[in-house]
Coordinates of all heavy atoms in Angstrom, one line a residue:
Chain U
K53 N -27.1 54.0 -9.5 CA -26.0 53.1 -9.9 C -25.0 53.9 -10.7 O -25.4 54.7 -11.7 CB -26.6 52.0 -10.7 CG -25.7 50.9 -10.9 CD -26.1 49.7 -10.0 CE -25.1 48.6 -10.1 NZ -24.9 47.9 -8.8
D54 N -23.8 53.8 -10.4 CA -22.7 54.5 -11.1 C -22.2 53.5 -12.2 O -21.4 52.6 -11.9 CB -21.6 54.9 -10.2 CG -20.4 55.5 -11.0 OD1 -20.7 56.0 -12.1 OD2 -19.3 55.5 -10.5
V55 N -22.6 53.7 -13.4 CA -22.1 52.8 -14.5 C -21.0 53.4 -15.3 O -20.2 52.6 -15.9 CB -23.3 52.5 -15.5 CG1 -24.3 51.5 -14.8 CG2 -24.0 53.7 -15.9
T56 N -20.7 54.7 -15.2 CA -19.7 55.3 -16.1 C -18.4 55.5 -15.3 O -17.4 55.6 -15.9 CB -20.2 56.6 -16.6 OG1 -20.4 57.5 -15.5 CG2 -21.5 56.5 -17.4
G57 N -18.5 55.7 -14.0 CA -17.3 56.1 -13.3 C -17.2 57.6 -13.4 O -16.3 58.2 -12.8
D58 N -18.1 58.3 -14.1 CA -17.9 59.7 -14.4 C -19.3 60.4 -14.3 O -19.8 61.0 -15.2 CB -17.4 59.9 -15.8 CG -17.1 61.4 -16.1 OD1 -17.0 62.2 -15.1 OD2 -17.1 61.8 -17.3
P59 N -19.9 60.3 -13.1 CA -21.3 60.7 -13.0 C -21.5 62.2 -13.0 O -22.5 62.8 -13.3 CB -21.8 60.2 -11.6 CG -20.5 60.0 -10.8 CD -19.4 59.7 -11.8
W60 N -20.4 63.0 -12.8 CA -20.5 64.4 -12.7 C -19.7 65.1 -13.9 O -19.3 66.3 -13.7 CB -20.0 65.0 -11.4 CG -20.9 64.5 -10.3 CD1 -22.3 64.8 -10.1 CD2 -20.6 63.6 -9.2 NE1 -22.8 64.1 -9.0 CE2 -21.8 63.4 -8.5 CE3 -19.5 62.9 -8.9 CZ2 -21.8 62.5 -7.4 CZ3 -19.5 62.1 -7.8 CH2 -20.7 61.9 -7.0
N61 N -19.5 64.4 -14.9 CA -18.7 65.0 -16.1 C -17.4 65.6 -15.6 O -17.2 66.8 -15.8 CB -19.6 66.0 -16.8 CG -19.1 66.3 -18.2 OD1 -18.3 65.6 -18.7 ND2 -19.5 67.5 -18.7
G62 N -16.6 64.8 -15.0 CA -15.4 65.3 -14.3 C -14.3 65.7 -15.4 O -14.4 65.4 -16.5
R63 N -13.3 66.4 -14.9 CA -12.3 67.0 -15.8 C -11.0 66.3 -15.6 O -10.1 66.5 -16.5 CB -12.2 68.5 -15.5 CG -13.4 69.3 -15.7 CD -13.2 70.8 -15.4 NE -12.1 71.3 -16.2 CZ -12.3 71.7 -17.5 NH1 -13.5 71.6 -18.1 NH2 -11.3 72.2 -18.2
T64 N -10.7 65.6 -14.5 CA -9.4 65.0 -14.3 C -9.4 63.5 -14.4 O -10.5 62.9 -14.4 CB -8.9 65.5 -12.9 OG1 -10.0 65.3 -12.0 CG2 -8.4 66.9 -12.9
L65 N -8.2 62.9 -14.5 CA -8.1 61.5 -14.9 C -8.8 60.5 -14.0 O -9.2 59.5 -14.5 CB -6.6 61.2 -15.0 CG -6.0 61.6 -16.4 CD1 -4.5 61.1 -16.4 CD2 -6.7 60.9 -17.5
E66 N -8.9 60.8 -12.7 CA -9.5 59.8 -11.9 C -11.0 59.5 -12.3 O -11.5 58.4 -12.1 CB -9.5 60.2 -10.4 CG -10.4 61.3 -10.0 CD -9.7 62.7 -10.1 OE1 -8.8 62.8 -11.0 OE2 -10.0 63.6 -9.4
W67 N -11.6 60.4 -13.0 CA -13.0 60.2 -13.4 C -13.0 59.3 -14.7 O -14.1 58.9 -15.1 CB -13.7 61.5 -13.7 CG -13.8 62.3 -12.5 CD1 -13.1 63.4 -12.2 CD2 -14.6 62.1 -11.3 NE1 -13.4 63.9 -10.9 CE2 -14.3 63.1 -10.4 CE3 -15.5 61.1 -11.0 CZ2 -14.9 63.1 -9.1 CZ3 -16.1 61.1 -9.7 CH2 -15.8 62.1 -8.8
A68 N -11.9 59.1 -15.3 CA -11.8 58.2 -16.5 C -11.9 56.7 -16.1 O -12.1 55.9 -16.9 CB -10.5 58.5 -17.2
M69 N -11.7 56.5 -14.8 CA -11.8 55.1 -14.3 C -13.3 54.7 -14.2 O -14.1 55.5 -13.8 CB -11.2 55.0 -12.9 CG -9.7 55.0 -12.9 SD -9.0 53.5 -13.4 CE -8.7 53.7 -15.1
S70 N -13.5 53.4 -14.4 CA -14.8 52.9 -14.1 C -14.9 52.7 -12.6 O -13.9 52.9 -11.9 CB -15.1 51.5 -14.7 OG -14.1 50.6 -14.3

Side-chain angles (χ1 to χ4, degrees):
Chain U
K53 196 106 184 145
D54 175 26
V55 286
T56 61
D58 183 25
W60 296 295
N61 195 17
R63 298 180 60 80
T64 42
L65 277 180
E66 69 270 28
W67 299 107
M69 285 282 94
S70 62

